[in-house]
Amino acid sequence: MTSWPATAQEFAARLRSDAADRDRANQPPVKEVELLRQTGLLDETDWSTQQKITRIVGAADANIGHLLGYHYLQIWRSGLFDKPVRHESGWFWAGVSNPLDAALELTPAENGFLVNGRKTFATGAAVADRLVVSATRTDNGEKLTFMLDGAADGITYLGDWDNIGQKLTASGGVAFENVVVPNEDVLGVQPIDEHPRLSLAALGFQLVLAQLYVAIAEGALAEAAEYTRTKTRPWFVSNVGKATEDPHILASYGEMVAQTQAAGLLADQASDQLKAASDQGAALTKEQRGEAAVAISAAKVVSTKVANEVSSRIFEQVGARGTAAGYALDRFWRNARTLTLHDPVVYKAREVGEHFLTGEHPAFTGYS
Amino acid sequence: MTSWPATAQEFAARLRSDAADRDRANQPPVKEVELLRQTGLLDETDWSTQQKITRIVGAADANIGHLLGYHYLQIWRSGLFDKPVRHESGWFWAGVSNPLDAALELTPAENGFLVNGRKTFATGAAVADRLVVSATRTDNGEKLTFMLDGAADGITYLGDWDNIGQKLTASGGVAFENVVVPNEDVLGVQPIDEHPRLSLAALGFQLVLAQLYVAIAEGALAEAAEYTRTKTRPWFVSNVGKATEDPHILASYGEMVAQTQAAGLLADQASDQLKAASDQGAALTKEQRGEAAVAISAAKVVSTKVANEVSSRIFEQVGARGTAAGYALDRFWRNARTLTLHDPVVYKAREVGEHFLTGEHPAFTGYS
Amino acid sequence: MTSWPATAQEFAARLRSDAADRDRANQPPVKEVELLRQTGLLDETDWSTQQKITRIVGAADANIGHLLGYHYLQIWRSGLFDKPVRHESGWFWAGVSNPLDAALELTPAENGFLVNGRKTFATGAAVADRLVVSATRTDNGEKLTFMLDGAADGITYLGDWDNIGQKLTASGGVAFENVVVPNEDVLGVQPIDEHPRLSLAALGFQLVLAQLYVAIAEGALAEAAEYTRTKTRPWFVSNVGKATEDPHILASYGEMVAQTQAAGLLADQASDQLKAASDQGAALTKEQRGEAAVAISAAKVVSTKVANEVSSRIFEQVGARGTAAGYALDRFWRNARTLTLHDPVVYKAREVGEHFLTGEHPAFTGYS
Amino acid sequence: MTSWPATAQEFAARLRSDAADRDRANQPPVKEVELLRQTGLLDETDWSTQQKITRIVGAADANIGHLLGYHYLQIWRSGLFDKPVRHESGWFWAGVSNPLDAALELTPAENGFLVNGRKTFATGAAVADRLVVSATRTDNGEKLTFMLDGAADGITYLGDWDNIGQKLTASGGVAFENVVVPNEDVLGVQPIDEHPRLSLAALGFQLVLAQLYVAIAEGALAEAAEYTRTKTRPWFVSNVGKATEDPHILASYGEMVAQTQAAGLLADQASDQLKAASDQGAALTKEQRGEAAVAISAAKVVSTKVANEVSSRIFEQVGARGTAAGYALDRFWRNARTLTLHDPVVYKAREVGEHFLTGEHPAFTGYS
């Protein structure tokens, strides 16, 4: 898609125009996904471009950036099974695979399986065309990953996501009752042993989270700067005529912008490493997988700090009237605070520290 | 009131029990002020006890702590004019005197004045029994401070406070149309020259803000700790059986608790200094007034940082599920963020720094 | 000593006058202890006054503050055995009791014992008149604490303290070869079981460290401010005529001063709690001892951060020329960095956090 | 130089082996420059490689990294005059051009000029083969830049650099007495008007400083990690067998490593931008020059923070015994603290903030 930057920027501008209102309305992102579908951005296939689009969209609206980043990830990680992945233009993908809750059950049936059970925190699933789901076979205990039509019979979206941030991500639970999975939609078996390539999926989610944290900081800075430029009054003892001349406001923006840029570069570098690891295909070694994992953890450590700090600190640059509910400037912090708790960042820092001290790579888990 | 600690704690417990719900409901604090009236805490007259009650109540609900702290202040600062101040048991006081917007007008009339005009950000006024108001005489330009019945004819509460934090403080604007002020309700004239004693009023508000910032940090810690103790799951690679054994969670709480305690002591010390200055009566010198001002600014600098940091950092100790909207754990940060923007804290830091370097005291303004 | 403030200030001024030179000369504090002896401050007996003197002297010279603070502690902790402690005017006391290295051996002999062995890190011992020493009986394994004349036969001071900070504290090792300990100089037996009162000694050292950390921050600020006032040039694009008018310099000092004051109040509060616990005598409960321990740990957490941050950050307020070696402005950071590593502060934070979350008190150890 | 990575690493290893001793010896870097000459690294011509070498050498020894980084800069910035620059293999270059002190005087003489006067802070000059000097013509006030042989008659090196950090950079003053400058060694005239290309010189120094700050953080981390791995004892209540298993030590290293990597990427990005601007030659616009300036300022903001924080925080990961003077682990902080005061970083933050808010580019000065 040659015109992606313009398309992404236009879509971002549109999202930005009513992001505060939509945050307050707290509705599932049905309309937003439809708009996204119309942009064609869902069909982007280049890794690096996907990352850039995720940042641009995520800065405008972290909810939609989250949905889009995960969408790209689901297609990519489905491909790690080395089976052709069918994507049709305009399909929006989401996953049902929270690593920390009890697995769904797969009962063998004619030409496939029946899925039963519940999963929590399935970001985007309720508004998705295609779902990537993981579940455990009742007969032999194998963990399979498979595709489902988002509107398949027997799927109920619980609509139980009501959180302080990332409100519009449709991250509620999903219930499955005898949902049919034909054999051809099974992507593959999750091996018990450490499998560098298939285990890249977990790293992909970590990377996208880091990108979204950077995006939130970028978005917060852009929105705050617009406010400072147009609405903030200089403090009455500041001896400056405009808020944009206040030395403390200037220095604060400078520090925040510089830190955010640094975090962005670290996320981009981690993205390049994961792409390189992914491109290795079956030749990927644990060592290479491990280096990518550490790079992503480092990006997550830095971007977590930046997202939470910047989204709170901007308020000192906009001033008291910027807390009016209509601006919803707090959405950046609420989104950052919610999304950065995906898994505890201090354990990411430990991975980076352990690697630096001992050369060890992170364990293969749902989070590393 | 000998039993004030128990009374304050009981009231605080009651507020805490539905603080999250009330924050979400976003209604004027009519019921809360009525409850407060019933406790008898509105009639407390001891300075130090007032400060302690403000902290206890403010930790449970920063909105009501704000109303109560300002209530005490209005009575105290009315007394600075050295005219007996009438307070009847159960009266709830508020002020209409935002220093940064255009003054109200006072037109001389028979046995007094008529007030006309509008003021913004009059915390608590809409639910107050008695108002302390400042306005400017149209005939001679004098700025008078006077009392009004909150329900006096011609007063309209605009109900235009809708902000991300301190939602229940009824901090909207007030319109006055030919409101009658009898001469006996005029407290006095605000002198043009620097007047150490009357100018203490501005310091009182700064002090109460510092106390409320500390209270917010205390409240956030208490609520988060309760969550960590009862709901937080240990991270799956932490090798501990309970979240309260996780080394990082323990250390983080320890740092936050210690910083909050230090901030609280600094606010208490500043409170003692303002009390001592106030007790000087007419003998108060600019020097003494200035030392109290610097102490309060220092307290504000430390407590601002603590309130914003602690109310955000607690989330790392409660974990992802603690972002569910029902807990409204974000209210502490939203309240802190809103209230700490009352006036820009970096200018308070400058006052402290200037005094340390040069011995200068802050200028006499509406904020220092 | 009614005139102690003046005496302490004079002594501090004298120390300050050549602190940079003495830091560079890196010699044992023989002359300094002699000066200290002449002031009479060694004989101060009031707890609260001792703490204040330690802060005043420590701000001027953290080395001598360290020696003096520990001197008071040795006399106090000797008294915890409830045996009269003989102090003669002018005696300078020090201890030999690093908890982390192998104990000295006490061999029973006629009317007492012989001490043999080596200890590391015995701050002040090499220049002390009286030593408080702990060692283990070879016959029954009891750990005794006893007094020695600093110049007793058989004691060798190893002079092996050569560190980046606290250079003048004579914190080297001590070797004992058949040093005679008469029975009457034995203070008592360190019980194996938890003994609230005797175990206060460990808390005393933690408290004095916290006081010294605060003192270092105070000293750094005072010295830097003097430099900023008299030598720092305003930056050429700052549009101010003097460094003391630069907004960033003012705000930075303000933040540092406020944080240092808060840390000081927390240390003072902890001091009051330890004094109260000590005053309980045999009635002291584990609970009371534990509350004092937690208060001291909190003070140490805050003061550690303040000391290291302030002593580094001051350089931004003095500017490039302030790094000239002659000013030795780095001594504050080197002293802070060295002294704050006495034991790892994160474990103090954990104690505070654990107490806050669970009510547990710190274990009885040589450090808590 | 195809083998530069190995050469740089070998040289760095050699520097590292006695960096602590040389820091304590505090001698001019005569031997070090001779070693550097022998490596051939002085003749490296590729910009990007120069930057990498500066980081590698600077991590091992910030003094020598500083000399080498400035050496490359002097050759590069001499070339900005578009006159062929003669460099002979093994020549070590330095500059005499501190922007903040009074200019040297150039008196016209036969076939050239005579230089007279003094300059301060001429890093490396005392040990340089070639000097790049700026001075003002007495006849027409033009500011010329010219080359000198470092050993030319009439040059005296004052040897007055004695600072807490960057001790071995020979950054003392230089006196000139009738030093002969032939016309052919004059590089050109510094225009009074803003000249994008010639003014890149100032940016080059800012960039190299940012690279050195990153290098100091990298060096501090490497040295501290080696200590933690081999010498640090686990804290006695930590329940771990090795310091490299302590959760707090791991997390702290992780945070520091991640922040340092992010700072490094930002410096590298700024380096690419300056290279691109430099490659524009005469076509360089103010806009492009300005974008590079802002990128460099951002890099300086982030790397300043990282260098000062990491070089202080490492001590918590090495523990008390790591403060022994023999390790000189404080040299990283002393070097960082000294070098990061080159010019006040808050004014760099202001440049970044102003550009973000208003699009303005930094003024053309000796520092931006």
Side-chain angles (χ1 to χ4, degrees), chain A residues 50-324:
Chain A
Q50 289 175 344
Q51 300 284 321
K52 285 178 186 134
I53 294 173
T54 300
R55 279 262 284 280
I56 291 168
V57 173
D61 185 329
N63 297 280
I64 312 309
H66 193 176
L67 294 175
L68 181 57
Y70 271 28
H71 157 83
Y72 291 139
L73 269 187
Q74 294 297 349
I75 300 176
W76 163 76
R77 71 107 146 177
S78 299
L80 296 174
F81 289 96
D82 291 318
K83 186 168 168 178
V85 175
R86 184 164 67 104
H87 172 68
E88 295 192 5
S89 178
W91 272 359
F92 173 68
W93 293 50
V96 182
S97 54
N98 174 15
L100 278 191
D101 72 14
L104 299 174
E105 290 195 345
L106 277 174
T107 315
E110 201 178 350
N111 298 323
F113 301 89
L114 295 177
V115 202
N116 281 284
R118 282 177 174 234
K119 293 285 281 188
T120 55
F121 298 135
T123 295
V127 293
D129 302 298
R130 297 296 280 176
L131 299 177
V132 184
V133 189
S134 295
T136 304
R137 288 178 63 154
T138 51
D139 55 342
N140 64 8
E142 279 185 349
K143 191 173 173 192
L144 305 188
T145 300
F146 52 91
M147 304 291 311
L148 283 178
D149 185 307
D153 283 347
I155 301 184
T156 308
Y157 299 103
L158 304 175
D160 54 0
W161 174 254
D162 182 18
N163 283 51
I164 63 170
Q166 295 299 92
K167 292 179 177 183
L168 314 184
T169 54
S171 294
V174 188
F176 297 81
E177 191 178 347
N178 290 327
V179 180
V180 175
V181 185
N183 281 327
E184 64 262 31
D185 287 344
V186 174
L187 293 163
V189 182
Q190 196 76 37
I192 295 169
D193 293 342
E194 294 192 344
H195 186 294
R197 180 157 168 78
L198 280 173
S199 75
L200 288 181
L203 302 186
F205 288 94
Q206 295 287 317
L207 171 65
V208 169
L209 289 168
Q211 294 280 23
L212 290 167
Y213 302 164
V214 175
I216 291 173
E218 292 171 335
L221 284 168
E223 187 105 350
E226 182 60 19
Y227 189 102
T228 302
R229 273 188 292 263
T230 57
K231 300 194 185 71
T232 303
R233 308 170 182 187
W235 188 236
F236 76 104
V237 296
S238 66
N239 288 326
V240 295
K242 292 186 287 189
T244 53
E245 292 168 354
D246 182 289
H248 307 292
I249 288 177
L250 292 173
S252 285
Y253 271 110
E255 288 166 13
M256 292 191 287
V257 166
Q259 296 288 349
T260 301
Q261 289 175 345
L265 291 172
L266 197 61
D268 289 342
Q269 192 195 47
S271 168
D272 291 346
Q273 283 194 251
L274 181 57
K275 175 62 163 53
S278 178
D279 286 349
Q280 290 288 316
L284 180 67
T285 64
K286 288 189 183 180
E287 172 78 15
Q288 288 169 289
R289 191 262 184 206
E291 292 297 308
V294 172
I296 291 167
S297 292
K300 206 144 160 263
V301 167
V302 172
S303 58
T304 294
K305 187 174 162 70
V306 159
N308 288 309
E309 285 185 1
V310 165
S311 61
S312 182
R313 190 176 173 190
I314 50 166
F315 281 91
E316 287 159 36
Q317 276 62 60
V318 303
R321 287 166 191 267
T323 63

Side-chain angles (χ1 to χ4, degrees), chain D residues 155-217:
Chain D
I155 301 183
T156 309
Y157 299 102
L158 304 175
D160 54 1
W161 174 254
D162 182 19
N163 282 51
I164 64 169
Q166 294 299 92
K167 292 179 178 182
L168 314 184
T169 54
S171 293
V174 187
F176 297 81
E177 191 178 350
N178 292 327
V179 180
V180 175
V181 185
N183 281 326
E184 64 261 31
D185 287 344
V186 174
L187 293 163
V189 183
Q190 195 76 39
I192 294 169
D193 293 342
E194 294 194 344
H195 186 294
R197 181 159 168 76
L198 279 174
S199 76
L200 289 181
L203 303 185
F205 288 96
Q206 295 287 318
L207 171 66
V208 169
L209 290 169
Q211 294 280 22
L212 290 168
Y213 303 164
V214 175
I216 290 173

Side-chain angles (χ1 to χ4, degrees), chain D residues 9-270:
Chain D
Q9 293 292 0
E10 277 165 35
F11 180 56
R14 170 123 189 207
L15 289 175
R16 206 156 29 231
S17 69
D18 61 355
D21 296 338
R22 289 182 293 106
D23 176 78
R24 285 158 70 83
N26 198 14
Q27 296 297 313
V30 177
K31 187 188 65 173
E32 291 85 346
V33 168
E34 183 49 38
L35 282 171
L36 181 51
R37 190 175 281 119
Q38 291 168 13
T39 62
L41 294 169
L42 291 173
D43 303 328
E44 175 61 46
T45 56
D46 177 67
W47 175 274
S48 165
T49 304
Q50 288 175 345
Q51 299 285 321
K52 287 179 185 133
I53 295 173
T54 299
R55 278 264 283 280
I56 291 169
V57 172
D61 185 329
N63 298 281
I64 310 309
H66 193 177
L67 294 175
L68 180 57
Y70 272 26
H71 157 84
Y72 291 137
L73 271 187
Q74 294 297 349
I75 299 177
W76 163 75
R77 71 107 145 178
S78 300
L80 296 174
F81 290 93
D82 290 319
K83 184 168 169 179
V85 176
R86 184 165 67 104
H87 172 67
E88 295 193 5
S89 177
W91 270 0
F92 173 70
W93 291 50
V96 182
S97 53
N98 174 16
L100 279 191
D101 72 13
L104 299 175
E105 290 194 344
L106 275 175
T107 315
E110 200 179 351
N111 298 323
F113 301 90
L114 295 177
V115 202
N116 282 283
R118 284 178 174 234
K119 292 284 280 187
T120 54
F121 299 134
T123 297
V127 293
D129 302 299
R130 297 295 281 176
L131 299 178
V132 183
V133 189
S134 296
T136 304
R137 286 180 64 155
T138 52
D139 54 344
N140 64 7
E142 280 186 346
K143 192 172 173 194
L144 304 187
T145 300
F146 51 91
M147 303 290 313
L148 282 179
D149 186 309
D153 283 348
I155 301 183
T156 309
Y157 299 102
L158 304 175
D160 54 1
W161 174 254
D162 182 19
N163 282 51
I164 64 169
Q166 294 299 92
K167 292 179 178 182
L168 314 184
T169 54
S171 293
V174 187
F176 297 81
E177 191 178 350
N178 292 327
V179 180
V180 175
V181 185
N183 281 326
E184 64 261 31
D185 287 344
V186 174
L187 293 163
V189 183
Q190 195 76 39
I192 294 169
D193 293 342
E194 294 194 344
H195 186 294
R197 181 159 168 76
L198 279 174
S199 76
L200 289 181
L203 303 185
F205 288 96
Q206 295 287 318
L207 171 66
V208 169
L209 290 169
Q211 294 280 22
L212 290 168
Y213 303 164
V214 175
I216 290 173
E218 292 172 335
L221 283 169
E223 187 105 350
E226 181 62 19
Y227 188 102
T228 302
R229 273 189 292 265
T230 57
K231 299 194 185 70
T232 303
R233 307 170 182 186
W235 187 237
F236 77 104
V237 297
S238 66
N239 287 325
V240 295
K242 292 186 288 190
T244 53
E245 293 168 353
D246 183 290
H248 307 291
I249 289 177
L250 291 173
S252 286
Y253 271 110
E255 288 165 13
M256 292 191 287
V257 165
Q259 296 288 351
T260 302
Q261 289 174 345
L265 291 172
L266 198 61
D268 289 342
Q269 192 195 46

Side-chain angles (χ1 to χ4, degrees), chain A residues 24 98 100-101 120-121 161-165 233 235-240 246-248 304 308 311-326 328-330 333-334 337-338 341-347 350 365-367, chain B residues 24 98 100-101 120-121 161-165 233 235-240 246-248 304 308 311-326 328-330 333-334 337-338 341-347 350 365-367:
Chain A
R24 284 158 71 85
N98 174 15
L100 278 191
D101 72 14
T120 55
F121 298 135
W161 174 254
D162 182 18
N163 283 51
I164 63 170
R233 308 170 182 187
W235 188 236
F236 76 104
V237 296
S238 66
N239 288 326
V240 295
D246 182 289
H248 307 292
T304 294
N308 288 309
S311 61
S312 182
R313 190 176 173 190
I314 50 166
F315 281 91
E316 287 159 36
Q317 276 62 60
V318 303
R321 287 166 191 267
T323 63
L329 284 179
D330 59 330
W333 176 85
R334 287 187 283 101
R337 206 54 286 193
T338 301
L341 294 180
H342 179 274
D343 54 280
V345 70
V346 72
Y347 286 89
R350 279 168 65 159
T365 78
Y367 295 88
Chain B
R24 285 158 71 83
N98 174 16
L100 279 191
D101 71 15
T120 53
F121 299 135
W161 174 253
D162 182 19
N163 283 50
I164 63 169
R233 307 170 181 185
W235 187 237
F236 77 103
V237 297
S238 67
N239 287 325
V240 294
D246 182 290
H248 307 292
T304 295
N308 288 310
S311 62
S312 182
R313 188 176 175 191
I314 50 165
F315 281 91
E316 287 160 37
Q317 276 61 60
V318 304
R321 287 167 190 266
T323 63
L329 283 179
D330 60 330
W333 176 85
R334 286 186 284 102
R337 205 56 284 192
T338 300
L341 294 180
H342 180 273
D343 54 281
V345 70
V346 72
Y347 286 89
R350 280 168 64 160
T365 78
Y367 296 88

Side-chain angles (χ1 to χ4, degrees), chain B residues 165-250:
Chain B
Q166 295 299 92
K167 293 179 178 182
L168 314 183
T169 54
S171 294
V174 188
F176 298 80
E177 191 177 350
N178 291 327
V179 180
V180 175
V181 186
N183 281 327
E184 63 261 31
D185 287 344
V186 174
L187 293 163
V189 183
Q190 195 76 37
I192 294 169
D193 292 344
E194 294 193 343
H195 186 294
R197 180 157 167 78
L198 279 173
S199 76
L200 288 181
L203 302 185
F205 288 94
Q206 295 286 318
L207 171 66
V208 169
L209 290 169
Q211 294 281 22
L212 290 168
Y213 303 164
V214 175
I216 290 173
E218 292 171 335
L221 283 169
E223 186 106 349
E226 182 60 19
Y227 189 102
T228 303
R229 272 189 292 265
T230 56
K231 299 195 185 70
T232 304
R233 307 170 181 185
W235 187 237
F236 77 103
V237 297
S238 67
N239 287 325
V240 294
K242 293 186 288 189
T244 54
E245 292 168 353
D246 182 290
H248 307 292
I249 288 177
L250 291 173

